[in-house]
Amino acid sequence: MNIHVGENDISHVVEADKAHVWHHLTQHKKFDATDPQIIVEGKGMRVWNQAGREHLDAVSGGVWTVNVGYGRASIAEAVRDQLVKMNYFAGSMGTIPGALFSQKLIEKMPGMSRVYFSNSGSEANEKTYKIVRQIAHNKFGGKKHKILYRQRDYHGTTITALSSGGQDERKDQYGPFTPGFVEVPHCLEYRSQWGEVDDYGLRAANAIEEVILREGADTVGALILEPITAGGGVITPPEGYWERVQEICKKYEILLIIDEVVCGMGRTGTWFGYQHYGIKPDMVTMAKGVASGYAAISCTVTTEEVFQMFKADPDDPMSYFRDISTFGGCAAGPAAALENMRILEDENLLENTVAMGEYALEKLEELKAKHAIIGDVRGKGLFLGAELVNDRETKEPASETITQAIVAECFQKDAVLIGATNRSLSGFNNTLCLSPALICTKSDIDEIVASIDGAISRVVA
Ligand SMILES: Cc1ncc(COP(=O)(O)O)c(C=O)c1O
């Protein structure tokens, strides 16, 4: 390992961090007694902290991001070359990597047509809301403006993105929220709202229709969904769900927005999560894996039909999409994304994701057979979750304290970084989350699963 901060400097770095950095999602009181972790270097599946301790990262940078792994010099070089040649121009102009990446991306998304660049998942989703609102104004006299979102889904951190968030603990204390967003029920069969039924998927989809009818279909412009819910508990959709959702959207002329911020770019074994389910979206958003965290980039992708609505009336000065994202014009993002995509293709990482995902799911099922605290195992590709319960019969959720204790134990004892749903849903922060980089091997998975096995044995003993 090669830490680029001298031995003597590292304590200064820690002090500077403790004095001035406000960490994300963190109660800082703990730093009165401990030091923050400074991640100094990464290579492949591994990262090293300030003490030089090596960790196996089972969560791709904590939040499903570093899909192609750490230390990819070719991405850094592509970014460097681009920045030296031309770093930035506002998105009203084009850039070479922007055009080339858009073309490659659309090749992977049959039925889609246009790419709008910005910087974060929240922002990418926010663009879709503005598009929906503008269409409502131009086509429906402002009436069809409501946007439906699903309980347990998450679409970002800004006030309007939170307004479309189905996780109460992420929203608590941040209201009032933007009006015009309406919640529909979740689709987690393990926590069925109708008890044990054999048509759960259909019922969960029909519950969306009920909300549409209650609100008035002429007021509902769009429905935003994660293809597989991430931070709300790694929820794979029940059978028959997506077919019915698609029918409902068509029937009521409701635009379907798919949030691929987590699932996009191979995470689930297809380029995009929605492609498992035969969905035809009107808009798709993506961020985390687009450049694997080597540059900040997000995309809002639309069909040609949506795009055409914004150029239909050139004589009306207000009819085009009057939106800008300053750093959506930074050429580092698409330059990194192009090279990221080349790596995914040349190294057959989608195939690896399918194979390793199946292996990991098998191993988690074996853990479930061994530990009664694991109530349910879910996932697709390298996007996996294990829901913890106090009692398999009643499915009473395990506490956030126990869940976090298992995460901490993996970290402290084995230097394995796993994740868990946290401060998302009151009473349900009980799902362990795994999302290793798409380069992972069987031996990485064995190490991760062995660590969880040991951690559960010690914490639950
Ligand atoms: C499904 C989903 N959508 C949107 C976002 C927001 O992305 P960002 O944090 O880049 O704004 C996230 C972040 O975790 C997410 O999980």
Side-chain angles (χ1 to χ4, degrees):
M1 188 199 35
N2 174 22
I3 294 181
H4 297 294
V5 181
E7 282 276 321
N8 297 329
D9 293 334
I10 201 72
S11 60
H12 173 72
V13 170
V14 173
E15 287 316 310
D17 185 286
K18 273 180 104 158
H20 301 297
V21 177
W22 193 338
H23 287 259
H24 298 182
L25 271 183
T26 298
Q27 163 54 270
H28 269 245
K29 188 71 189 156
K30 70 178 178 192
F31 297 141
D32 289 354
T34 59
D35 283 343
Q37 290 291 314
I38 310 286
I39 300 300
V40 178
E41 192 149 346
K43 187 82 197 152
M45 296 285 299
R46 314 255 158 184
V47 293
W48 287 263
N49 71 358
Q50 70 262 39
R53 189 179 191 222
E54 179 178 321
H55 300 79
L56 173 58
D57 178 7
V59 281
S60 292
V63 286
W64 312 284
T65 300
V66 189
N67 283 6
V68 298
Y70 298 98
R72 291 283 190 174
S74 70
I75 303 185
E77 279 152 21
V79 169
R80 183 208 167 274
D81 291 350
Q82 180 57 44
L83 293 186
V84 170
K85 188 178 164 86
M86 214 299 295
N87 64 314
Y88 175 83
F89 209 93
S92 46
M93 306 283 189
T95 65
I96 292 173
L100 297 181
F101 176 63
S102 299
Q103 184 180 39
K104 273 210 96 168
L105 181 61
I106 293 301
E107 277 169 24
K108 310 293 181 211
M109 305 178 78
M112 306 307 287
S113 177
R114 291 280 161 174
V115 183
Y116 194 94
F117 291 114
S118 55
N119 309 287
S120 69
S122 306
E123 204 187 350
N125 286 328
E126 174 84 30
K127 305 304 178 202
T128 68
Y129 304 157
K130 287 180 77 175
I131 289 170
V132 172
R133 292 280 161 89
Q134 200 171 341
I135 292 173
H137 278 275
N138 289 341
K139 206 173 154 196
F140 301 103
K143 208 168 174 211
K144 217 168 162 56
H145 68 278
K146 289 182 193 164
I147 295 166
L148 308 183
Y149 65 91
R150 188 172 53 192
Q151 194 190 10
R152 281 181 171 254
D153 279 9
Y154 177 78
H155 301 295
T157 186
T158 61
I159 292 290
T160 294
L162 275 183
S163 309
S164 66
Q167 301 179 355
D168 58 326
E169 289 192 349
R170 289 294 164 101
K171 294 170 90 159
D172 191 28
Q173 302 172 7
Y174 298 113
F177 294 105
T178 310
F181 291 87
V182 182
E183 189 169 279
V184 302
H186 72 74
C187 69
L188 173 55
E189 191 160 10
Y190 183 68
R191 302 241 167 238
S192 165
Q193 303 91 328
W194 300 280
E196 252 187 59
V197 291
D198 53 17
D199 60 348
Y200 180 79
L202 199 61
R203 284 179 191 237
N206 285 340
I208 299 176
E209 186 173 33
E210 280 169 30
V211 174
I212 294 167
L213 295 175
R214 187 192 72 207
E215 294 292 320
D218 58 342
T219 70
V220 179
L223 167 67
I224 181 163
L225 298 173
E226 293 181 63
I228 299 171
T229 301
V234 191
I235 302 171
T236 44
E239 223 182 290
Y241 182 76
W242 275 111
E243 291 85 338
R244 183 74 187 119
V245 167
Q246 187 86 58
E247 267 173 29
I248 292 167
C249 287
K250 206 161 170 212
K251 180 170 171 193
Y252 299 107
E253 238 189 302
I254 289 170
L255 296 171
L256 181 55
I257 306 164
I258 303 292
D259 178 340
E260 292 273 351
V261 168
V262 171
C263 294
M265 282 303 153
R267 168 63 52 201
T268 68
T270 45
W271 282 103
F272 294 93
Y274 75 84
Q275 293 167 341
H276 289 290
Y277 308 110
I279 303 166
K280 291 195 175 65
D282 298 287
M283 288 184 261
V284 177
T285 59
M286 63 194 74
K288 295 171 188 283
V290 174
S292 289
Y294 286 83
I297 177 172
S298 64
C299 306
T300 303
V301 180
T302 75
T303 59
E304 188 60 19
E305 203 181 341
V306 166
F307 174 71
Q308 283 298 332
M309 287 191 237
F310 291 82
K311 63 183 273 226
D313 192 358
D315 296 331
D316 176 355
M318 301 299 273
S319 70
Y320 67 94
F321 192 38
R322 299 183 320 284
D323 181 89
I324 182 165
S325 166
T326 296
F327 292 116
C330 179
L338 259 178
E339 178 59 13
N340 185 69
M341 200 177 239
R342 186 200 64 73
I343 291 170
L344 288 169
E345 284 185 319
D346 288 1
E347 296 184 12
N348 299 319
L349 294 185
L350 266 57
E351 289 84 341
N352 190 57
T353 301
V354 173
M356 291 305 110
E358 281 167 10
Y359 182 70
L361 209 51
E362 253 172 54
K363 291 280 143 191
L364 286 177
E365 287 292 352
E366 283 170 27
L367 266 196
K368 182 179 155 192
K370 183 170 171 191
H371 296 287
I373 193 171
I374 301 182
D376 195 29
V377 164
R378 306 185 278 266
K380 207 157 190 73
L382 288 168
F383 180 32
L384 302 153
E387 180 164 349
L388 307 182
V389 291
N390 292 332
D391 181 327
R392 277 204 184 153
E393 279 298 302
T394 64
K395 298 186 184 174
E396 182 196 352
S399 69
E400 184 160 12
T401 312
I402 291 274
T403 311
Q404 288 300 329
I406 292 167
V407 174
E409 189 65 18
C410 290
F411 170 66
Q412 275 150 14
K413 166 100 185 4
D414 305 317
V416 170
L417 304 173
I418 67 164
T421 49
N422 66 88
R423 292 292 136 79
S424 299
L425 296 149
S426 37
F428 289 98
N429 294 304
N430 62 327
T431 301
L432 300 177
C433 299
L434 297 180
S435 52
L438 313 189
I439 54 171
C440 76
T441 61
K442 281 189 175 176
S443 102
D444 293 324
I445 290 167
D446 289 342
E447 193 176 333
I448 294 162
V449 172
S451 177
I452 298 172
D453 187 5
I456 292 179
S457 301
R458 290 187 297 279
V459 169
V460 181

